Amino acid sequence: DTAVSQTPKYLVTQMGNDKSIKCEQNLGHDTMYWYKQDSKKFLKIMFSYNNKELIINETVPNRFSPKSPDKAHLNLHINSLELGDSAVYFCASSQSTLRNTEAFFGQGTRLTVV
Amino acid sequence: ILNVEQSPQSLHVQEGDSTNFTCSFPSSNFYALHWYRWETAKSPEALFVMTLNGDEKKKGRISATLNTKEGYSYLYIKGSQPEDSATYLCASMEYGNKLVFGAGTILRVKS
């Protein structure tokens, strides 16, 4: 059983389209995150939800909208896709604070905008 | 936003060699330091979460130390094996429960 699963694994789409990436965790964690691996390969936080409530919202264009229907799911919807949105997006989860516990990551979704 | 730096950027060693990498982070407002191992086509997997100055943690042949006063952590691998080949990421926890990652050290172990 995959602890944190993302779908799809690969996504190729045209500029201007709207797309969603889904994430589910079966670990019973309270907190979920979206990270983006940028062009320099750094993992950078985008959003964090705790018990369906938005906690972290980094400087991300408002074309990106996370949605958490329940604490086991955090989906990422992207409107009006741009070429610069091409990246690998990682979902993660943790049991409350990262001060005491690690984050568990999904395998990533490689988004290519053409 | 913190600046987390890792060195070296990449490392090639022979099977059986011991090796170590460095992670440096701002020492002010420190909360926690994480190490992750990331194999190609897989998810990053946690190795250690460290919070106390002087902390040392060990998992098999891999160990890590933490110096929060000077802002660095070392990861050691004793007797490297080909299966240790991966990218090793460190991340410092910032206020607000977010991780700031370094760029990683790519380790390749030749048999």
Side-chain angles (χ1 to χ4, degrees):
Chain A
D1 278 348
T2 305
V4 181
S5 59
Q6 296 178 228
T7 53
K9 197 170 177 183
Y10 299 97
L11 184 54
V12 181
T13 188
Q14 289 190 321
M15 267 191 343
N17 282 350
D18 303 339
K19 289 292 176 186
S20 292
I21 306 172
K22 294 186 177 182
C23 179
E24 177 181 5
Q25 54 95 2
N26 62 6
L27 297 165
H29 287 167
D30 293 329
T31 309
M32 295 185 73
Y33 313 83
W34 278 107
Y35 281 82
K36 178 181 179 181
Q37 187 181 20
D38 68 15
S39 56
K40 295 184 179 177
K41 305 296 184 188
F42 283 89
L43 282 171
K44 292 195 172 174
I45 184 77
M46 299 174 70
F47 300 104
S48 166
Y49 270 72
N50 181 269
N51 276 320
K52 304 193 296 174
E53 185 182 338
L54 180 66
I55 302 298
I56 298 171
N57 184 347
E58 289 296 289
T59 318
V60 177
N62 57 15
R63 297 181 295 104
F64 289 77
S65 53
K67 284 187 174 54
S68 181
D70 55 62
K71 74 174 193 177
H73 295 83
L74 181 62
N75 303 323
L76 184 64
H77 189 75
I78 316 170
N79 288 328
S80 304
L81 278 154
E82 299 178 357
L83 293 176
D85 297 332
S86 296
V88 184
Y89 294 84
F90 286 89
C91 177
S93 72
S94 69
Q95 185 57 42
S96 67
T97 173
L98 290 166
R99 187 147 192 207
N100 305 313
T101 186
E102 67 263 41
F104 290 77
F105 285 85
Q107 287 195 302
T109 295
R110 182 174 293 277
L111 171 66
T112 305
V113 183
V114 297
Chain B
I1 295 281
L2 298 173
N3 205 19
V4 177
E5 296 181 356
Q6 291 188 245
S7 63
Q9 190 174 7
S10 66
L11 199 51
H12 288 75
V13 301
Q14 288 293 128
E15 184 175 355
D17 287 351
S18 293
T19 187
N20 64 85
F21 333 126
T22 305
C23 172
S24 62
F25 52 89
S27 54
S28 58
N29 299 318
F30 173 81
Y31 291 92
L33 194 283
H34 290 223
W35 280 101
Y36 290 84
R37 181 170 176 274
W38 192 1
E39 286 183 73
T40 305
K42 293 189 177 180
S43 320
E45 288 185 352
L47 289 170
F48 306 111
V49 177
M50 306 170 81
T51 55
L52 299 175
N53 184 44
D55 225 357
E56 287 189 33
K57 293 210 171 179
K58 189 175 179 181
K59 188 182 281 190
R61 294 179 291 100
I62 305 177
S63 60
T65 60
L66 179 66
N67 183 322
T68 60
K69 294 191 187 310
E70 295 179 44
Y72 64 83
S73 175
Y74 294 134
L75 189 80
Y76 300 92
I77 303 179
K78 187 177 176 182
S80 303
Q81 299 297 308
E83 57 265 31
D84 295 329
S85 296
T87 299
Y88 290 83
L89 296 172
C90 75
S92 186
M93 180 189 159
E94 190 175 78
Y95 176 78
N97 200 39
K98 51 189 173 184
L99 293 177
V100 178
F101 282 87
T105 292
I106 300 170
L107 174 67
R108 292 289 174 259
V109 182
K110 298 177 191 173
S111 55

